[in-house]
Amino acid sequence: MNNVLKKATFAGGCFWCMVKPFDQWDGIHRVVSGYTGGHTENPTYEDVKTGTTGHYEAVEITYDPVLISYREIVTIYWQQIDPTDDGGQFHDRGDSYRTAIFYHDTEQKSIAEASKQELDASGKFAKPIVTSILPASTFYPAETYHQDFYKKNKQEYQEDRAKSGRDEFIETNWKS
């Protein structure tokens, strides 16, 4: 059977920390680090870091909807971020580190909006959920050295993640 693969795109702060959580699920074919949502064509990491391109650091996930649903992927996404922080994520501050769900079609938009409303209504967080839900636009893959960073640069990845505060936040707010 020839399944049609789909795309899902999320910004959750540093893209290094957003690859591994998705990479380990059945049905996820590929997770690419990159840039999206801005106005600069073919931006580089150095361009995006300036905060003038409008781009978010993001991941583009290619998945098989027969094996993993978009709703499941959105649920995984929420559990990687602080959805109440509009100034970046953890120790990464600035516009390029904001959170956003970039939808590729009306079904994804509906699922993302419903999921955000459910999270907001759940009372899990005292502050409002500020993660944006935006139409997907051109996704620019990041430089090769950023791809699969957690695999290729294990020690640097672990050190960066350890000092970010992300794991403590996840443990406190998302683990039951």
Side-chain angles (χ1 to χ4, degrees), residues 57-118:
E57 280 196 19
V59 290
E60 184 179 73
I61 300 162
T62 304
Y63 69 99
D64 182 340
V66 172
L67 297 176
I68 188 167
S69 71
Y70 184 72
R71 179 142 181 98
E72 289 172 296
I73 295 170
V74 169
T75 299
I76 295 165
Y77 167 72
W78 287 126
Q79 296 175 9
Q80 308 312 311
I81 65 166
D82 175 354
T84 68
D85 185 350
D86 63 3
Q89 286 292 282
F90 312 107
H91 73 159
D92 293 310
R93 310 311 300 160
D95 285 354
S96 63
Y97 297 113
R98 292 169 297 160
T99 61
I101 297 173
F102 294 93
Y103 60 87
H104 290 263
D105 57 35
T106 55
E107 181 186 21
Q108 284 188 353
K109 181 181 181 185
S110 296
I111 291 167
E113 287 176 343
S115 179
K116 180 179 175 178
Q117 288 170 353
E118 287 165 22

Side-chain angles (χ1 to χ4, degrees), residues 164-175:
S164 74
R166 187 183 292 264
D167 290 332
E168 293 84 353
F169 181 88
I170 291 169
E171 188 64 36
T172 302
N173 292 281
W174 292 110
K175 301 295 180 198

Side-chain angles (χ1 to χ4, degrees), residues 94-156:
D95 285 354
S96 63
Y97 297 113
R98 292 169 297 160
T99 61
I101 297 173
F102 294 93
Y103 60 87
H104 290 263
D105 57 35
T106 55
E107 181 186 21
Q108 284 188 353
K109 181 181 181 185
S110 296
I111 291 167
E113 287 176 343
S115 179
K116 180 179 175 178
Q117 288 170 353
E118 287 165 22
L119 182 58
D120 213 12
S122 74
K124 184 169 203 49
F125 296 99
K127 296 189 284 185
I129 305 305
V130 296
T131 298
S132 299
I133 298 173
L134 304 167
S137 57
T138 304
F139 183 88
Y140 299 97
E143 296 78 354
T144 304
Y145 71 92
H146 288 299
Q147 304 305 329
D148 295 317
F149 193 85
Y150 81 96
K151 292 178 188 173
K152 296 188 294 194
N153 298 284
K154 198 171 194 172
Q155 185 172 345
E156 187 179 349

Side-chain angles (χ1 to χ4, degrees), residues 40-52:
T40 301
E41 288 187 28
N42 301 308
T44 65
Y45 182 65
E46 294 305 316
D47 294 336
V48 174
K49 274 191 351 187
T50 66
T52 61

